[in-house]
Amino acid sequence: MARRTPCVGGNWKMNTRSADAAALARAVVADASSDVEVVVFPPAVYLQEVHEVVSGSSVALGGQDVSEQADGAWTGQVSAGMLADVGCTHVLVGHSERRHGLGEPDSLLNAKVRTALEAGLSVMLCIGETLAEREGGTTSDVVLKQVREGLAGVPIESLAALTIAYEPVWAIGTGLTASPKDAQEVHALVRETVGSLYDVPSADALRILYGGSVKPSNAAELFSQEDIDGGLIGGASLDAEQFKAIVDAAGRSCV
Ligand code: PEP
């Protein structure tokens, strides 16, 4: 089986002001680990500023969202080319706050995934079920549909630039976390599905991150599961010490 480099993303969401963003980025750079790929996702207006801080370090920069359109008359949107221009190498697509909060459908997210990959960005595609879907026993159907539709038309050569983040909606920002066993079950299923859509070596090489109230106290146990290759971190990524502890846990625990 492929040895996957662990990855931890910090999704700052709509938080920080310019001075805090730069200070947080400086702390993340100071704490960076050579064993873990670390990506920060600051608000779009601070990308350039954070790029100046992370540039030359091992910390990568990502946008929190991207337009499915190329440049042009799309008021308020940010294109993949613009993200790359300000130093982004990564982008989040389909975070639950957009998928569920803003109602972005799989077809739109698929267009965003393809546009971003074509522009040379690495994509972190977020998937996950709601509480009602988990309680209704449809978690597998829901996340596998999100994987299939999110990756429709994505060529196998692009998979190296793709990471999937499994983030149960009910666990995001709530303090609730999927049990390591439940998370592992979904991750294994996602990997198996990617294997059947593409091939087994590509699926083995794919990083699948867990997100949803990851903290220093629960990170190691989650990351020690066979198919969990790190985490996408919201709240705890705003605290440099907690984020460092989570990155360290990924370095020690991801198998
Ligand atoms: C997220 O925003 O992707 C996330 C997982 O948030 P939190 O860690 O706060 O649950």
Side-chain angles (χ1 to χ4, degrees):
M1 184 185 289
R3 167 81 175 94
R4 299 179 290 269
T5 303
C7 177
V8 175
N11 176 13
W12 299 357
K13 310 192 186 190
M14 199 167 71
N15 291 299
T16 69
R17 289 290 183 269
S18 120
D20 322 316
L24 183 54
R26 277 195 293 276
V28 172
V29 166
D31 292 339
S33 147
S34 54
D35 301 330
V36 180
E37 185 181 321
V38 173
V39 190
V40 291
F41 297 92
V45 289
Y46 303 135
L47 282 170
Q48 200 144 13
E49 193 151 351
V50 172
H51 178 244
E52 278 165 27
V53 177
V54 303
S55 169
S57 79
S58 62
V59 175
L61 182 68
Q64 295 178 9
D65 183 38
V66 65
S67 175
E68 77 286 10
Q69 304 291 343
D71 297 335
W74 300 98
T75 302
Q77 300 222 44
V78 175
S79 71
M82 290 171 178
L83 290 178
D85 191 42
V86 294
C88 290
T89 48
H90 290 67
V91 69
L92 292 178
V93 173
H95 188 279
S96 153
E97 285 145 21
R98 302 201 64 87
R99 187 191 277 281
H100 297 98
L102 298 174
E104 295 191 354
D106 284 309
S107 54
L108 174 62
L109 300 177
N110 174 248
K112 291 184 177 197
V113 167
R114 290 193 292 160
T115 301
L117 289 171
E118 278 160 22
L121 294 171
S122 292
V123 171
M124 231 176 241
L125 173 65
C126 304
I127 59 170
E129 81 287 359
T130 63
L131 186 58
E133 288 162 345
R134 173 152 289 263
E135 288 176 348
T138 58
T139 297
S140 307
D141 295 343
V142 168
V143 299
L144 296 188
K145 176 176 181 291
Q146 292 169 346
V147 169
R148 276 191 215 100
E149 297 190 9
L151 299 186
V154 171
I156 192 164
E157 313 78 67
S158 295
L159 281 195
L162 183 89
T163 302
I164 290 181
Y166 167 58
E167 302 201 295
V169 179
W170 48 270
I172 298 177
T174 58
L176 302 172
T177 313
S179 71
K181 179 175 164 290
D182 286 349
Q184 164 59 25
E185 258 174 45
V186 176
H187 282 233
L189 199 61
V190 168
R191 197 177 302 289
E192 190 187 309
T193 302
V194 172
S196 64
L197 290 173
Y198 293 92
D199 62 22
V200 172
S202 305
D204 265 355
L206 175 75
R207 263 107 47 105
I208 307 177
L209 313 185
Y210 171 79
S213 299
V214 176
K215 303 181 272 288
S217 56
N218 59 22
E221 203 187 346
L222 285 158
F223 297 165
S224 63
Q225 302 299 306
E226 188 174 337
D227 289 290
I228 301 185
D229 306 311
L232 181 56
I233 317 301
S237 73
L238 295 170
D239 178 313
E241 259 180 51
Q242 288 194 36
F243 190 65
K244 176 186 174 1
I246 293 169
V247 171
D248 289 347
R252 280 194 315 272
S253 311
C254 288
V255 287

